[in-house]
Amino acid sequence: MDPAYSIIVFTTASGAGYGLLVLVSLLAIGGVLPPTSGLGLATLGAAAALIAAGLSSSALHLGRPERALGAFSQWRSSWLAREGVAAVATFAPLGLFGIGWVFFNDVGGFFAWMAGACALLALLTVSCTAMIYASLKPIRQWRNGFVLPGYLALGVYSGSLLLVSLTQTFGVYRPDFTVLAVILLGVAWAIKWGYWRHIDAASAHIHLGAVTGLGRLGPVRLLEAPHTEANFVMREMGYAIARAHARKLRVVVHVALFLAPLALLGVVAAGPPIQTQSAALLAVLSAALGVAVERWLFFAEARHVSMVFYDRAG
């Protein structure tokens, strides 16, 4: 599929924001994070800003923005509408939770319930985003069991790096936060690796003989191309990226999204205090680059099954 940069920004920024919101909400409920105004404003503010930036980018992607409100009414059948409903609904408990934390330094009672609602709605929103793609049967790179857990894992992992950096800044850092980030890094890495192995193996089974059912009679090939020049379907649903380039970009993802943050988290865990804040920030920036490339590949490597009939199955 032709990668839309507005959607890449939306899924990367909002994913990290929702991931941070999940972790902060749960840690506040558990009494792990102190209910100080500065910390609450920074953590919840960062989460809200990332979510808002992502949603704004998504809105710019709409061909007819004035129809956005009407799309919400399709929540019974559309994952995109469900995503919009969940995203907007998240701001209500987020605002109430923020009021309790920032203005009253209270994260218990009613505000704890709001924190729990924040975590649940954040996970629900990211799940709806993933299902927009995982529900599309004609695209084999998306219609598999790795997409939903991959979106969730990358979102929470990105949020954990932000958590480490922000708690370092406000002097409430705990070594457990780095341990949590390393665990989430390992989970996200394993899912991403499995996803790429899956789509590489599946590509060998998509060819003209398989989709036409004529493969049992021998090799099947096109007699003539369907069109003399590229059409809309070929441009939008058959975006081509050379395998060599895809492999190089996958290496970038492995290094920027996983290896470099892992090394930097090691510095955070064992390094002198003067270096830990810089290492935590660099881990966030490296992961941001890595997840942007990963998301670009997620779209660029996806091929609609109709491309088989153009002899461009990929």
Side-chain angles (χ1 to χ4, degrees):
M1 305 294 285
D2 189 3
Y5 292 100
S6 57
I7 297 300
I8 292 172
V9 172
F10 164 62
T11 54
T12 55
S14 62
Y18 285 122
L20 176 62
L21 181 58
V22 169
L23 294 175
V24 168
S25 298
L26 295 179
L27 291 174
I29 293 174
V32 178
L33 293 177
T36 58
S37 298
L39 179 63
L41 184 62
T43 54
L44 296 181
L50 287 168
I51 294 169
L55 292 175
S56 298
S57 176
S58 179
L60 293 175
H61 180 72
L62 295 174
R64 299 291 297 272
E66 69 275 12
R67 296 180 179 177
L69 291 178
F72 283 85
S73 64
Q74 307 302 312
W75 61 269
R76 293 179 182 85
S77 58
S78 168
W79 283 107
L80 179 61
R82 293 165 187 162
E83 175 199 48
V85 171
V88 172
T90 303
F91 282 99
L94 173 57
L96 293 171
F97 177 41
I99 290 173
W101 191 341
V102 175
F103 294 101
F104 300 104
N105 301 134
D106 183 8
V107 293
F110 171 77
F111 298 117
W113 283 102
M114 292 300 98
C118 282
L120 288 175
L121 286 171
L123 291 173
L124 178 62
T125 304
V126 176
S127 297
C128 290
T129 303
M131 287 305 300
I132 293 173
Y133 310 107
S135 64
L136 298 178
K137 295 180 180 180
I139 304 177
R140 66 183 184 279
Q141 291 86 355
W142 294 348
R143 181 71 171 185
N144 60 73
F146 290 96
V147 171
L148 175 56
Y151 263 71
L152 290 171
L154 280 175
V156 181
Y157 160 53
S158 301
S160 71
L161 294 178
L162 288 167
L163 176 70
V164 170
S165 182
L166 288 169
T167 54
Q168 283 273 352
T169 301
F170 283 85
V172 294
Y173 165 78
R174 293 189 181 190
D176 292 344
F177 297 159
T178 297
V179 174
L180 175 63
V182 170
I183 292 172
L184 293 172
L185 182 154
V187 172
W189 200 353
I191 294 173
K192 192 74 246 183
W193 202 300
Y195 168 80
W196 277 328
R197 286 175 60 88
H198 173 80
I199 66 172
D200 289 345
S203 64
H205 303 289
I206 305 298
H207 51 80
L208 274 172
V211 300
T212 60
L214 299 175
R216 67 185 184 278
L217 303 177
V220 179
R221 63 181 179 84
L222 290 173
L223 180 62
E224 288 186 356
H227 299 276
T228 58
E229 60 183 40
N231 59 16
F232 173 81
V233 175
M234 296 171 71
R235 289 193 300 270
E236 293 297 317
M237 299 187 178
Y239 185 87
I241 176 174
R243 293 185 188 278
H245 293 163
R247 285 194 293 269
K248 291 177 182 178
L249 290 175
R250 288 185 184 186
V251 171
V252 172
V253 174
H254 283 306
V255 173
L257 184 54
F258 301 115
L259 282 175
L262 182 60
L264 291 165
L265 287 172
V267 174
V268 172
I274 195 172
Q275 295 179 357
T276 55
Q277 288 191 21
S278 297
L281 180 59
L282 286 174
V284 171
L285 296 176
S286 178
L289 170 63
V291 77
V293 176
E294 179 275 335
R295 203 50 46 86
W296 189 89
L297 273 175
F298 178 77
F299 289 98
E301 291 187 298
R303 306 296 290 276
H304 195 280
V305 71
S306 63
M307 290 301 101
V308 176
F309 297 99
Y310 295 92
D311 201 21
R312 292 172 54 183

